[in-house]
Amino acid sequence: MGQRGLDLLHITARRQIDMFHRIGRIVVRHPVWTIVAWIFVAAGIVATAPSLPSNSDQSSFLPKSYESIQAADLQQSAFPSAFTPSAIVLYQRSDGGKLTPDDLKDAARITGELGAKKIDQVQQVVPGPPSKDGRYVLGLVSMDTKNAGQPTQLDAAKTLRSDAKELTKGTQLDAKLGGSAAQGLDQQDSSSRANTLTFVGTFAIILITLLIIFRSPILAVLPLVVLIALVFSTANALIADAGKLFGLQANSSTSALLIVVLLGVGTDYYLFLMFRYRERLRAGDEPKVAMVNAVGRVGEAIASAAGAVMISFLALLLSTLGFLKQMGPALAITVAVTLLAALTLFPAICSLIPPRALFWPSKAWLKEPSNARFAALGRGVQRRPALFAVVSGVVMIALALGTLGFKATFDLASGSMPKTQESMVVQTEMQNAYSAGAAEPTSVLVTSTGDGRLDTAALPAYERKLSAVQGVADVQPAAISKDGRTANITVTLKYGSATDQAISAVGDVRDVAHADAPPGTKALVGGMSSIYKDINAAVNHDYRTVFPLAALLIMIILGLLLRSVVAPWYLMASVGLGFGATLGATVLIFQKGQGHSGLMFMLPVIMYLFVVAIGTDYNILMISRLREEAREGRDPREAASRAVRHAGPTVAAAGFILAATFATLMLAGNSLLTEMGFAVSFGIVVAAFVMAMFFTPSLTALIGHAAWWPGHQDRKSPPDVETVDARELEPSAKN
């Protein structure tokens, strides 16, 4: 690259810095109008936003191209009045003994009365078979399959559960409601409790931590009030608008994540800004000038960090899983609104409050602290960068070895709520009393590919071949559609639908069903085990597409920020090591330590995006400060030392708060959010306290000037601080 190219890079860099200075000047000069504009725009967005529907139907996670979804569609069209239980009433004696003839009569009567109530969405309620041990009997409830997982069916499940318990009064029976509709209802209730616990825990952690950091009640309360009162409501309304525009639906786990992302990331950006504002005040800037320079200096890092997070979340649009495809835009919108607040709303509010009042009662903002610990860490990085790089790298590699034991589990229902929920109790008791796969059987649909009807004479031999498959407990004779073109063969597996054995068995069922289908027919295998097998295939697809794309886009952002093609490579390598260490530690804790059969199937994808995207935030903040120190004429090792000294406290505080907020997900009481909370919080700790604090500055110090090739952003240049007359920032001043 010639001198002209280098000069263009420097001009571009200055323009970006000037852009954030201009934003700071406008906001600080017109703080009241900025705040008023936020309030009016937020009120308008919230007032006009539609409600966002929720869906807990797991089959909706997959597109129509997957066999399990095609089978479900064929079953619905060929057997529109077929009985498919959406809910199951499980009857047993109150004393746990065997059912008597009178008990069986009571169960049949209650089942009939439930059907006679004509509950909305309920199509039929029919008696089911007793268990082999004589302790249980079932009532089977069918609902409109078009509304599976929708709020109307959750309401129907709630009514069914209440009515069944009421009707058992005066008998020796207990009635519990299970099945997919009941699981959706329990997921909803569990999610509400999880959201409350997450919100309270996150709020308390942020408030206490900010009080310790700033020793000022105003600075501690300010971000929470702003983020909750304005940013959260605005983001939620925009998510609802996007949902209506693009046909997206919410999932029960998304709300808890939105709370954590909003408060955690929003507080991080607030800390980035306020630490720099306090630094400029200590350097002698007038308050308004200090805020302009704070926005100008740290605005590029905040915008780049937010851009990396948003792009990573938007990469989820390429996912084939509806859950992730719905979650990605929602989280990206949340981060976008948070970024806008960090660059405009926070500076506007803080510039209205005199520093003595803003930082009251603390006076620590008046003088530069020694930062002795971070200064010592910085000197260590300066003297022995190779040692710090090797030790931190070896620690991450050692933890990453745990990924070799990773196994996935696909039971999202039981993973997203405690085992004590009623629908989970029903699932467990049915697996023990009946065949484990009885609650969610597999359907093999055989349909004619020609113009004629099926040759039903060939079906008994076909059924015998299916019954011989390893893992199959029972095969029911085929039901034939009215037009005679499609047969539905119910296959009961020996295993619970979400287990590894069931997913493996349904794969074998598919192989036999496809290979031995009668001539002139096509076979499709449906049911929950088939859906889980397709979800597994979809996750593997996401590993091959979402991961590389997110990494590539983040590298592009880093390249544009640093004007370098060298630094993004080792920065992404460090983040990749952090991801491996996080997944390995999660496997060791939950699979090896707590004996979990596996981790939730989507956890690596979510963890990758959070750890890679948010972990990059801290790398960006540290490398930006390192570049800033280098541009003041310091050599690479000294620049790394000073970057650790000055940016280290910000990274440590922000990393602690964000890790602690994600850790509150572990209070939710279900394995999905517990695993997610641990994994992401651990990953953020690694990103902040290993990668950003040691690995990245050490490598940059070792690589030296070559790290900034071809832009050479580390060469000496004028400081990124504007000389501004404070009078220019008064609203009445002339431009």
Side-chain angles (χ1 to χ4, degrees), residues 500-518:
D500 292 340
Q501 298 99 315
I503 293 170
S504 176
V506 86
D508 295 337
V509 170
R510 279 186 179 182
D511 291 340
V512 172
H514 297 161
D516 296 322

Side-chain angles (χ1 to χ4, degrees), residues 38 231 235 238 269 306 310 330-342:
W38 257 95
V231 180
L238 288 173
Y269 297 161
M310 286 187 287
L331 294 175
I333 289 170
T334 301
V335 174
V337 178
T338 304
L339 167 65
L340 189 61

Side-chain angles (χ1 to χ4, degrees), residues 225-438:
V225 172
V226 171
L227 289 170
I228 294 168
L230 279 179
V231 180
F232 186 63
S233 56
T234 304
N236 259 345
L238 288 173
I239 291 167
D241 287 329
K244 183 178 181 180
L245 185 62
F246 299 107
L248 301 176
Q249 291 184 317
N251 182 272
S252 57
S253 298
T254 303
S255 299
L257 277 177
L258 287 177
I259 294 170
V260 171
V261 169
L262 176 87
L263 293 179
V265 173
T267 305
D268 266 12
Y269 297 161
Y270 172 76
L271 281 173
F272 291 176
L273 176 71
M274 296 311 299
F275 269 74
R276 188 52 70 98
Y277 175 53
R278 188 174 63 181
E279 183 179 324
R280 294 312 310 163
L281 288 173
R282 288 167 175 167
D285 287 356
E286 291 289 329
K288 291 183 181 295
V289 176
M291 184 57 74
V292 172
N293 283 325
V295 175
R297 281 201 167 198
V298 84
E300 186 183 23
I302 292 176
S304 299
V309 176
M310 286 187 287
I311 282 179
S312 294
F313 289 154
L314 289 175
L316 289 175
L317 287 170
L318 294 179
S319 172
T320 50
L321 288 171
F323 170 79
L324 297 177
K325 189 176 289 187
Q326 294 154 12
M327 184 177 70
L331 294 175
I333 289 170
T334 301
V335 174
V337 178
T338 304
L339 167 65
L340 189 61
L343 295 179
T344 60
L345 188 56
F346 284 134
I349 295 172
C350 292
S351 67
L352 283 174
I353 306 172
R356 291 187 181 277
L358 187 65
F359 290 93
W360 180 89
S362 173
K363 296 183 179 180
W365 65 276
L366 293 168
K367 58 182 180 180
E368 180 75 27
S370 61
N371 280 343
R373 294 176 183 174
F374 291 98
L377 290 176
R379 288 192 297 271
V381 169
Q382 180 178 3
R383 293 170 185 168
R384 299 182 181 85
L387 177 64
F388 277 84
V390 169
V391 170
S392 54
V394 166
V395 169
M396 289 191 286
I397 291 172
L399 287 173
L401 293 176
T403 59
L404 299 176
F406 171 74
K407 291 178 65 178
T409 182
F410 296 88
D411 191 356
L412 188 60
S414 62
S416 58
M417 58 182 140
K419 299 293 185 182
T420 53
Q421 289 281 10
E422 185 170 319
S423 59
M424 291 294 96
V425 173
V426 170
Q427 178 175 289
T428 301
E429 292 181 346
M430 283 192 63
Q431 287 176 354
N432 294 332
Y434 296 81
S435 170

Side-chain angles (χ1 to χ4, degrees), residues 506-639:
V506 86
D508 295 337
V509 170
R510 279 186 179 182
D511 291 340
V512 172
H514 297 161
D516 296 322
T521 67
K522 175 185 178 182
L524 294 172
V525 179
M528 287 309 303
S529 294
S530 186
I531 288 172
Y532 289 132
K533 184 170 183 61
D534 287 341
I535 287 176
N536 189 28
V539 170
N540 290 332
H541 165 271
D542 291 351
Y543 290 158
R544 297 189 299 269
T545 54
V546 177
F547 278 28
L549 179 65
L552 176 63
L553 293 175
I554 291 175
M555 283 187 67
I556 292 172
I557 287 180
L558 290 171
L560 293 173
L561 169 68
L562 303 174
R563 267 70 69 180
S564 165
V565 297
V566 176
W569 284 99
Y570 68 83
L571 289 175
M572 286 307 298
S574 71
V575 173
L577 277 177
F579 167 77
T582 302
L583 181 56
T586 308
V587 169
L588 292 173
I589 292 293
F590 289 97
Q591 287 185 207
K592 305 298 183 184
Q594 297 190 10
H596 289 197
S597 60
L599 303 178
M600 291 307 298
F601 65 89
M602 82 284 280
L603 183 64
V605 177
I606 294 174
M607 192 178 69
Y608 175 84
L609 293 166
F610 277 101
V611 173
V612 169
I614 297 178
T616 303
D617 282 9
Y618 304 124
N619 266 341
I620 286 174
L621 186 68
M622 184 62 74
I623 203 75
S624 297
R625 185 60 188 244
L626 198 153
R627 178 185 62 179
E628 185 180 318
E629 298 293 341
R631 293 178 68 182
E632 293 181 4
R634 298 180 176 89
D635 66 61
R637 293 196 177 197
E638 184 184 1

Side-chain angles (χ1 to χ4, degrees), residues 53-61 147-151 153-154 180-181 183-188 249-252 326 412-413:
S54 178
N55 193 350
S56 59
D57 179 19
Q58 294 180 40
S59 65
S60 68
F61 290 0
N147 293 327
Q150 297 296 333
Q153 289 207 355
L154 304 189
S180 59
Q183 288 176 356
L185 174 64
D186 289 342
Q187 278 182 302
Q188 185 182 69
Q249 291 184 317
N251 182 272
S252 57
Q326 294 154 12
L412 188 60

Side-chain angles (χ1 to χ4, degrees), residues 26-45:
I26 293 170
V27 169
V28 171
R29 191 166 185 266
H30 304 288
V32 175
W33 284 113
T34 301
I35 296 168
V36 169
W38 257 95
I39 293 172
F40 272 92
V41 170
I45 292 173

Side-chain angles (χ1 to χ4, degrees), residues 19 105 129 158 167 173 310 352 365 380 416 470 638 709 725-726 734:
M19 178 184 73
K105 289 180 182 178
K158 187 174 183 179
L167 290 170
L173 297 176
M310 286 187 287
L352 283 174
W365 65 276
S416 58
Q470 180 89 20
E638 184 184 1
W709 185 86
D725 188 333
K734 300 288 185 183

